[in-house]
Every structure is written in structure tokens, then in C-alpha cells.
Amino acid sequence: MAEVEETLKRIQSQKGVQGIIVVNSEGIPIKTTLDNSSTVQYAGLIHQLVLKARSTIRDIDPQNDLLFLRVRSKKNEIMIAPDKDYFLIVIQNPSA
Amino acid sequence: MSPKKGKRSGSSKMKSKKSQSPTPQGKTGHPEDIFPLTLTSATQNLFGCQIDEDVTAQSPYKLLKKDDIMQDIKTRAAVSDFSPAKQIVLDYPEEEILLVFDSEFTFGQSFYLVLSPEAKNRILKLPETETPEVLENEVDTARKPKQWVSLGSEKEIEEESVKEREPLVFTFSRKRRFFGLPVSFSDNITPISQGFPSYEDNRRFIPAMLTDCGTQAVPKVQSSTAQTNWLGKRNNSTHYEPRDLSEEEKEVILQSDSMKEFLRGVTPRMLHALQQEEIFNLFTDDLKDLGADVEDDNEPDLSKGLELFKTFTDPSKGKKISSVNWHPSINGVIAVALKMQREEESDSEEDLSLTDPKFIAFYSFADLSKPQDLRKEQTPEVLYSAASEIESSHKAAVTDVQWLPPTFEVTRTGLPVENTSKLCVQVITCSPDCTIMFWDVRLPKQAGLSLFQRPDQNTPMTRYIVPKTFKHLDRTWKPLFKVSFQKMDGSGVYAPLKLSFEPYPGNAEAAGSWSAEDFLDYSQLRIPSAKELKTLEDVNTKIFIGTEEGEVVYTDWKLEKDEFGLVHCPKPLFSFSTHDFMVYAVQRSPFFKDIVLTVGTWNFAIWKEGVMEGPLHVSKFSVENCTAGCWSLTRPAVFFIGKDDGSMEVWDLLENTNGPSQVHPGIISGTIICIKPWIVSSKQHFLAVTNDHRVVRILEISKSLRTPTSNESSRMEEHFEWETKYVKEFDRRKKVWAKEKEEQELKKETKPAKPVLTPAEQEELDKKEYGEFLKLEESILKGLGLWPKPDHSDKKN
């Protein structure tokens, strides 16, 4: 538990990080630093996006797998690191 | 008793029964059971059978008791009428004997007795059987033929019968060429019936498969309802909430090894990405950043600066233009204030003047040559609406007049308060007679008593229609209050030429429409007492003043109270003599509320409110006099300076702070008196330039000068910030140097004084020093290998 906390704190301390969400493979958020409604929204939407992206990569080349996904928008950037069971979502505002 | 009775019954029998043979009776005789007799009236009285009283023709029967009759016989013996019938009566079996009145004397006597009871019965039964006998008679006689009831048969008869008819009329038409020719009618004998012999036709027997049969289908309509079970279920609304894990589950997951593994793997990647973001923005579009605020149309920008658009010249001689202003609502109309050529230089603006009649002409873009007067039809001459009282107004010419914005007004002590009427009601004027006056267009409260009707003075000016708007103020207008500012070093008062105050935005509604109806109410407005109005705390009551001697004074106009409770004018907060002569223009930047441009005679300066140390920027001294200046309306860093040789400079502070970015010589002949910019549309920005020889030139500002560069406003701000810092820094350093200098002075004084040397001793000293110097020189030169010196040999001594 402490290790988890520590890791998340490390990420949180980076410049411009607005929020971190840890989501399980079903899309249910496990740990978050944002408020509940945003968390739920992000988790649900991004979960679908990740599944789609992963299936895209694997369709093109079955040996390949999705390693990292970055979604850059006007206001901020959403970075998603997927794994076998969970994925980590970090929202960063680079100019801030 | 009497034989007449027998006759009677016999005849009656004869009458009544046809079938029955009449009872044998003789004409003289009487039937055997009838005994006619006559009764005297006494007897009739006695027995109650008086003729026509008890017995009549209709009821001739009377039953008498046998005993009574016997009694009578006994009493009256032979006299009694019944004596002949004594024996009969005695023989009569029954008690009562029938006496019948015989009115017709059928048996010869008026009465008759019926001797036998059978006859009595017979007679008595007669009235019963008489009526059916009568009926039978009637039926026999009434058998007549029946009436004929029509059953339609007469019609058939009529049809079949042959009658004479009217002549037949037959209408027919023929061809035209046969008109008039005789007609020949003939009988057409057609056989009524023609028989067709039947023949066999098996082969062509066409069975009638179809027969045309008319039918009418009338639907039987029956409405009925049925209720069915709704078997298909459909979701009307769904209420859902996101899935969530319980706290314990979350804890479990977080503790699990897989989570740790995951984080261990993922974290470096994430950190890498985050750092990347921080370092470098991958997605900047350089080209886009370069060209911010790009307009849709890219017109080739032909002219670099100002282009002459129009020129207006007033044809009438002898007038000078004193000021110019654009019409706020009508595009393309400019108002020019002209004045008669007089010796005194007085520039006044519209509507308030003390000295000469001023003319205001309107120029519009439509008509270049002639000025049009939009307010009065005939003459372009406009008179003042109200003149202030001579005693209490300025002693010198009014050099600047400005309306206070309708958002706030000022009380007698200079406190800014809320303006309840949303109109411009107050005016500030300044004049080189060292006062600034605040005027209120409304009447003071006590004015109602002191005003008296003046007779209409027939001045030569009354030929023109003067608007009565400010008539209530005419000749009695006193200023609300006056301020004059003592110089900071106490050597007099400032003589302000121009001023600029900060416009207070106030409420948004106050800046709204200003309709003509409101305009008429000026005479009704009264100055409210200061207590009623709400003091506005955040109004900046400080003004920049440019004076006649070139000072720029920044001061507060609120009257202050000093320790004795007297109100007096406040001391100015700073004043700098940056300009050496008259200050021609003091203007706030339309973009930054605290940046002020002041134009003096040989230079101009930019000030920032709040920076007490000095101007942010002072320009170099220029050869020609700068006579006018104004900010650009669209570009925060650009302003225009007009010179007295008719040229104009365009300064762009971001481009070049040392000199003007553009110089346009010879824009106009003569001295530029006034520059006023105006925006007609987004493509047309104009600058109106007037000189003192009644020429107005309209210049069009080219695209490069009217579109701000990217981030110009923020860059300008930064620039000013930097300037401010510099100024402050410079100021600080000046102070430090001053302090250091002081310290040095002090040090010098405290050092022991050097012994005063006599001149001879001084010369000895000098010689010694010179000798030492020569030796030094020799040694150096020897070291350099330049000994002996060629030049110094004869100058050694």
C-alpha cells in the first residue's frame, strides 16, 4: 500500500499533473485523485478507448501490443498506460 | 166489464201481428174476452182512471182490483158502471182485472175490460214485442243498392277506350337546304309483333358467364374495442449508476501483488511522458503563431501609412479652425468649430464660449466643398446656448472643456457621487487663469427664488434660433466649484492648459441610450444635495494637467480639509517640467487607463498613473514644435504627433522608441491644430487633421496602421511595465547616488584640512613631482628600448 501511494505521489508531483486514475480491466476506478463524477466519466470513456486502441494494434499485427496512449487536446493531455489487468490514466496540463 | 175492451184488444192484435190472423171480430161485435164499457167521470175518479189523466192513448192499461169493483157494485147497485159486468167480474179468477182505455172507440165504448187472464197477459205483453216488429219493417223498406267503390277499374277502361284526341304536335329539325320544302308524312306500318322462328343453335351457344348485375355493398359497420395485454416490454427510462467496487475490494486490489507489478512497470513510462510534455510542446504550430489576428481578406497594403482621403476647406475667409470633432453617430460627418480671426489666441470647443461668436460647421463626406449645417437650415452659424456669468467664470480663455461622463458627478466639495440622472450634466473647464472649474448644467436648488424674468433682450444674435435647452443657465451660470493648484515649490499657481481625467465606467446601463426626450429636461433638473447621493469610492479623482509652462501636474481635485477645518485645494501629487513650453495635449490611452500621453512644444512624454518618479518615456527634442497628439484607436502602441509645419509623425513604441516610425511631411499646410481619429467601419479608419487656416483633411489610416500586431496589447503592457521598472530603478539609483554624494561630501568635511601651502612651496612641490615623473618616464622608456626619446629632449626643462 505504501509503495502504491509512493508511486502515485511521485507521478502527482510532476509539473502540470491534474489527476491520476487507476482503473481495473472492467473500467471500474480503483484509485483516483479527482472527484467522483469526473473519475467515473474518465474511467468509462477511456476504458472503451483503450480497448479499441489495443484491438487496433493487435489486429494490424498480433504480435504487437499497445504500450502507451497519449491523447492531446487543446487544454490538456491525457496519458494512458495500459497493462494486463489495470491501466493508469494521468491528465496533465503542460503549459501550466 | 165493458165490451169495448174486447174490441180494443182485437184491433190491437190486428195491427201488431201480420202473421197472426186477426182475431175474429165482428164490426159490431167484440171479441169474447173483451168487454167494452163506459165509465162516468165519477167512476173514473173513484178508480183513478180518468181519461187523459191516468190513462191515455199511450198508456191505456189500468189494473183494477176485483174487490173494489164488487164494492162499487154493492154500493151503487144499478148506478155503477160496472153493473153490466158484474157477473164477469165475479167469474174472474184473478184478483185484478185489466181496464184498457180505448181512445179510438174500437169496441164502441171508451173503456174495455179484459175478461180473461190470458188476454190480459197477451195485451200486457204487447208493448214488448212491438219494437222488433217496427225494426223489421224498416229493414224491409231500407234495402237499397250499394254505393260503388272505385277500385281502379275505371282507369283501365279509360285506357282501352278509344277517344278523339287533340291533334299531335311533333317537332323535328332538318337540314338547312331542305328548309321550306314540303314535308311528306306517311304511315309506317310496322308489324306489332314479328315472330322469330326458333332454331337450334348449339354451336354458338354463348353461356352467359357474366351477367351485369347491380349490387350494392353496404358494409356492416360495427365498432368494437378490445383490450389486449401488452406483452412486449419496453424500457421507458433507465436509471443507472456506474459500477463501483466497495472499499474493501479496493483495498484488497491495492494491496495485491499484481497492482504492484503493474505500477512498477508503468511508472517509468509515465514519468518519461510527463517529462517530455514539460520540456517541449510537440504540437506548436509555428506558422500559426506567427500570423495571429489574420484577417479574411488579404488586400495588398499599398500605402504604408496615412493616405489623404478628403479635404475640406471653408470658403469664407477670416475664420480659423479651433477644434474638430467627429459626429458620434452619423458616420462621415465632422464638426468644425470656426472662429473669427482675432488677435487673442483662444481655442475653445463647441457650446461654451465666452468671447466671440463661434461658428460650427458640419462637413460631411458627401459634399466636399461646402460645409453643411445639419442643425440649422440656412446659416452655419451656431450660437452658444447659455453663457456663464462673467464674474464667476474664467478670466482667460477656456482652453479645455470636457464633459464628465454620465456615470458619476461631483458635488461642491469635489466628492464623486453617483449620478442619478443618466446624462452628462457636468463639465470641467480649465483655463490659463490658473483655475479649473466644475460646472453643472442643472440649476442649483435655490435657483427658483433668485431667477427673475429678464426682458427679452434684442441682441443681434437673436435672429438665430438658439436652442432653449440651457436657457435656464444663461447669464447666471456659476461654476459648481473651483480648484486651483499651488505649485509644489510654492512659487505660484499652475496655469493649466489641458487636462485629462480617468473615465469611470460605472454601471453599464448608465452608458446607454441618450434619447432626445431626456435632453429637454435639463431645465428641470436640479442639483441634488450631496447627502442624498451615494459616494462612489472608487472613482479616480486625480487628473493630469498640462500647464502653460510645460509642467505636467498630477493632482487630486477633491477639496481637502486641513487642520483648521477650512477647505482648500489639495496639493499636487507630482509635477514635472518635462516640457519646456506649453503643453498642447494631454490624452489617456484608449487601451490602458493609466497611461497618459502629453505633448509639449518640443517633445512629448508618456506617463503612467501611479508612477510618481517621472514619465515612462520622454522623447527627444524635435526641431519643429509638436502641436497636437492623439493615440490610435486600434493599436495600443501607436500614436500620432502633429507638428507646426504641417507634418505628422507616427510613433510605434514597440517598433522604435527613439524616433517616429513614420514621418509624413506636408500633410497639411500650416500648423496642425487638432488630430482626431475616428472609426467608420472595420476597413475605414480616419484621422481628421485640421490646421489653423480652415482646412480639414481626412486621412485614411492604412491597414498596417490600424491592425494591431499579434499580442500588441500585452506586449505594450510589458513594455510599460519594463519602463516603469526602469524608471523606478533609475529613480532609486539616483537617490543612492545622491546619498553617496552626500556621504562623500560629509567625509570630505570631516577629513583634517590639508596645510595651506605658499605659492613658492607649491612650486617647489611641483618641481619635485615633475622630476620624479621624468625619472619614471626614463626608466620605462629604457625598459622598452626607446631611450633616448627624440621629442622630449628639448622639452625636458
Side-chain angles (χ1 to χ4, degrees), chain B residues 318-337:
Chain B
K319 293 212 198 89
K320 274 172 74 167
I321 294 180
S322 52
S323 168
V324 122
N325 232 321
W326 290 88
H327 197 286
S329 42
I330 305 179
N331 276 342
V333 172
I334 187 166
V336 175

Side-chain angles (χ1 to χ4, degrees), chain B residues 347 497-498 547 581-586 599-601 625-629:
Chain B
D347 335 326
L497 276 187
K498 293 267 178 208
T547 65
F581 201 40
M582 297 200 278
V583 175
Y584 282 105
V586 177
V599 177
T601 323
N625 290 351
C626 305
T627 50

Side-chain angles (χ1 to χ4, degrees), chain B residues 157-169:
Chain B
I157 295 166
E158 218 180 299
E159 267 173 55
E160 292 295 316
S161 65
V162 177
K163 294 179 210 155
E164 280 278 324
R165 258 197 218 176
E166 290 99 32
L168 274 176
V169 177

Side-chain angles (χ1 to χ4, degrees), chain B residues 497-664:
Chain B
L497 276 187
K498 293 267 178 208
L499 60 86
S500 153
F501 56 87
E502 186 173 336
Y504 179 60
N507 305 322
E509 52 195 80
S513 59
W514 181 81
S515 61
E517 292 91 57
D518 305 345
F519 197 43
L520 299 169
D521 268 337
Y522 274 121
S523 57
Q524 306 302 322
L525 294 173
R526 294 281 180 270
I527 302 173
S529 78
K531 299 188 205 78
E532 293 168 18
L533 297 168
K534 188 178 71 165
T535 313
L536 294 170
E537 299 295 333
D538 50 349
V539 174
N540 192 1
T541 54
K542 304 188 182 49
I543 44 177
F544 274 89
I545 303 172
T547 65
E548 213 172 17
E549 288 166 19
E551 292 133 349
V552 175
V553 182
Y554 178 60
T555 174
D556 199 328
W557 78 57
K558 268 196 299 219
L559 299 174
E560 288 170 352
K561 286 198 163 122
D562 64 359
E563 55 263 16
F564 301 111
L566 299 168
V567 290
H568 70 91
C569 313
K571 286 207 149 208
L573 292 164
F574 70 70
S575 114
F576 285 92
S577 357
T578 26
H579 311 288
D580 294 296
F581 201 40
M582 297 200 278
V583 175
Y584 282 105
V586 177
Q587 210 197 24
R588 286 195 187 240
S589 164
F591 290 89
F592 307 105
K593 290 286 161 266
D594 48 1
I595 303 286
V596 177
L597 167 74
T598 58
V599 177
T601 323
W602 285 302
N603 59 355
F604 67 86
I606 297 184
W607 307 79
K608 184 172 166 130
E609 226 174 304
V611 174
M612 304 293 178
E613 289 81 6
L616 288 184
H617 174 86
V618 181
S619 77
K620 294 197 297 215
F621 287 96
S622 63
V623 177
E624 315 86 21
N625 290 351
C626 305
T627 50
C630 80
W631 290 93
S632 154
L633 288 181
T634 47
R635 291 192 63 185
V638 171
F639 52 90
F640 305 96
I641 304 282
K643 299 272 169 68
D644 73 342
D645 62 347
S647 66
M648 243 177 70
E649 289 176 357
V650 179
W651 285 73
D652 184 353
L653 284 176
L654 287 175
E655 209 179 301
N656 187 3
T657 50
N658 270 344
S661 54
Q662 287 173 28
V663 178
H664 296 271

Side-chain angles (χ1 to χ4, degrees), chain A residues 32-92:
Chain A
T32 172
T33 61
L34 298 170
D35 57 288
N36 193 32
S37 55
S38 312
T39 303
V40 155
Q41 202 172 17
Y42 268 110
L45 295 166
I46 290 175
H47 174 244
Q48 295 175 34
L49 183 64
V50 167
L51 290 182
K52 193 66 164 184
R54 183 181 270 159
S55 71
T56 308
I57 302 282
R58 295 193 73 144
D59 272 353
I60 293 168
D61 179 11
Q63 308 288 334
N64 211 349
D65 194 8
L66 179 67
L67 202 59
F68 203 84
L69 186 62
R70 274 158 96 153
V71 180
R72 179 66 198 255
S73 75
K74 259 202 296 199
K75 294 188 185 169
N76 47 23
E77 173 146 350
I78 306 171
M79 286 173 266
I80 306 144
D83 191 54
K84 196 157 47 69
D85 307 316
Y86 312 96
F87 43 96
L88 176 71
I89 305 168
V90 176
I91 303 139
Q92 186 198 28

